[in-house]
Amino acid sequence: MHRHLVLPILAILLSNPAFATREVDWSMLAPKITMPDSIVQLSILHKSLFQQLITISQINSPTEEQRQQASRAQKTLEDSGINVEEIIKIRQEKLKKASTMIDSTLLGEKVKIAGYLIPLDLNGGRSTEFLLVPTAGACIHTPPPPMNQIVLVQFDQGFKITDLYTPVWVHGQLSTQRSKQNVVLSDGSANVEAAYHIDATQVAFYQ
């Protein structure tokens, strides 16, 4: 084949979706959810007060000032005729359901995604199986993210792990394969669920 024909043919092949690699971010892996009208139609002030309540409720040992702030926020909401406990319950149920949802439109695509590694095996400092997560230290120093924000990666060549705080690019075909992995934590171990899976063709430091 003449050389001047090779480049146009290569360009056509690379432009074909079957050959193209799609860059995805973590928000694309978690389908958007629709909250009920009882939450959507809250005023900006009421939404802000709910956010205060939720934020303070997630603090292990809130200060007295924070407890008083939460109490004032709840009273203001209830004085406005809002059922605080019911709305928080609805929100939690929606978020729990959303954490298990996947975006089926991405399945089977060749993708590249950036994230942080949590090795599941180590041999000479190299890992062939690891979890990819959106934030450094997730599952180690903080609670694990939702399962649709965790990708189980298998990379036969192995990748040398230098630390857990250097981001990497992972290339490969995305599929759904729910799995539960035992991750060693700073204070013990825990089972972490992943909703996605990638058979990696390339793993490289983020640049």
Side-chain angles (χ1 to χ4, degrees):
M1 182 181 293
H2 296 295
R3 192 174 72 175
H4 68 278
L5 294 176
V6 173
L7 291 179
I9 292 174
L10 182 60
I12 292 172
L13 288 174
L14 292 176
S15 65
N16 189 315
F19 292 90
T21 295
R22 180 177 179 181
E23 182 178 330
V24 301
D25 61 45
W26 291 94
S27 64
M28 297 167 68
L29 299 184
K32 291 183 174 148
I33 60 170
T34 302
M35 288 291 181
D37 290 343
S38 58
I39 295 178
V40 173
Q41 294 176 358
L42 289 172
S43 69
I44 293 175
L45 171 61
H46 290 156
K47 287 179 181 177
S48 175
L49 292 173
F50 265 109
Q51 189 57 55
Q52 288 179 28
L53 278 175
I54 292 165
T55 300
I56 293 172
S57 71
Q58 294 172 340
I59 299 173
N60 289 332
S61 300
T63 64
E64 179 61 28
E65 182 180 353
Q66 288 170 329
R67 285 195 290 268
Q68 290 179 4
Q69 182 183 5
S71 179
R72 288 194 298 269
Q74 182 162 345
K75 184 176 186 307
T76 300
L77 289 166
E78 290 174 344
D79 287 347
S80 299
I82 296 172
N83 189 328
V84 175
E85 290 186 2
E86 181 66 19
I87 286 185
I88 289 178
K89 179 182 177 182
I90 292 172
R91 179 182 178 275
Q92 288 174 336
E93 289 174 350
K94 280 281 188 179
L95 292 177
K96 182 178 180 180
K97 181 179 179 181
S99 71
T100 65
M101 295 169 61
I102 61 169
D103 188 340
S104 59
T105 64
L106 295 171
L107 301 181
E109 288 204 32
K110 294 177 181 177
V111 304
K112 75 170 186 174
I113 182 170
Y116 297 86
L117 305 182
I118 301 173
L120 298 174
D121 67 343
L122 276 174
N123 186 0
R126 300 181 73 84
S127 177
T128 59
E129 187 175 52
F130 47 84
L131 299 178
L132 189 72
V133 292
T135 56
C139 303
I140 303 296
H141 302 296
T142 62
M147 67 170 66
N148 60 13
Q149 296 292 281
I150 303 177
V151 180
L152 173 63
V153 180
Q154 291 179 304
F155 186 47
D156 291 343
Q157 299 177 36
F159 184 75
K160 188 167 183 62
I161 306 292
T162 56
D163 62 71
L164 303 180
Y165 300 93
T166 302
V168 299
W169 282 111
V170 172
H171 299 242
Q173 188 174 53
L174 184 69
S175 64
T176 180
Q177 180 180 313
R178 288 193 182 182
S179 60
K180 188 175 287 187
Q181 307 296 327
N182 186 260
V183 176
V184 178
L185 309 174
S186 57
D187 58 352
S189 63
N191 288 323
V192 176
E193 291 187 87
Y196 291 99
H197 177 268
I198 290 180
D199 276 319
T201 55
Q202 180 184 354
V203 180
F205 289 113
Y206 185 93
Q207 293 181 340

